C-alpha cells in the first residue's frame, strides 16, 4: 500500500511541475510580447471594463 501512495505522490508532483512549467512559459511569452510592443495599455483596458459594469444591475 505504501508503494501505491508513493507512486501517487510522484505522479502528483510531476503533474504540478508540468503545470508550473506551462505557467512559467506563458509568463515569459507575455513578457516578450510586452517587450515587442504587443498588447494593450492597461488604463484603456480597465476604462473599457469599468464602463461595461458602471450601470449594471448587481
Amino acid at each position: 500500500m505504501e508503494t501505491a501512495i508513493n507512486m501517487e505522490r510522484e505522479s502528483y508532483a510531476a503533474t504540478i511541475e508540468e503545470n508550473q512549467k506551462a505557467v512559467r512559459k506563458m509568463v515569459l511569452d507575455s513578457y516578450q510580447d510586452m517587450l515587442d510592443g504587443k498588447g494593450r495599455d492597461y488604463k484603456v483596458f480597465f476604462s473599457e471594463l469599468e464602463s461595461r459594469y458602471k450601470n449594471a444591475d448587481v
Side-chain angles (χ1 to χ4, degrees):
M1 176 142 178
E2 191 173 313
T3 304
I5 292 173
N6 286 340
M7 289 176 59
E8 190 173 319
R9 280 187 191 152
E10 289 174 10
S11 175
Y12 183 69
T15 301
I16 289 175
E17 182 63 29
E18 288 299 316
N19 287 341
Q20 288 177 343
K21 285 180 185 178
V23 169
R24 287 185 208 115
K25 184 181 180 329
M26 287 188 284
V27 168
L28 291 175
D29 290 345
S30 294
Y31 183 72
Q32 188 60 47
D33 286 347
M34 183 183 68
L35 293 176
D36 292 341
K38 297 179 184 175
R40 299 174 59 191
D41 181 24
Y42 74 94
K43 291 179 184 178
V44 173
F45 173 80
F46 285 111
S47 176
E48 290 174 6
L49 188 62
E50 185 178 83
S51 70
R52 287 185 191 174
Y53 298 104
K54 200 165 199 151
N55 296 320
D57 293 333
V58 179

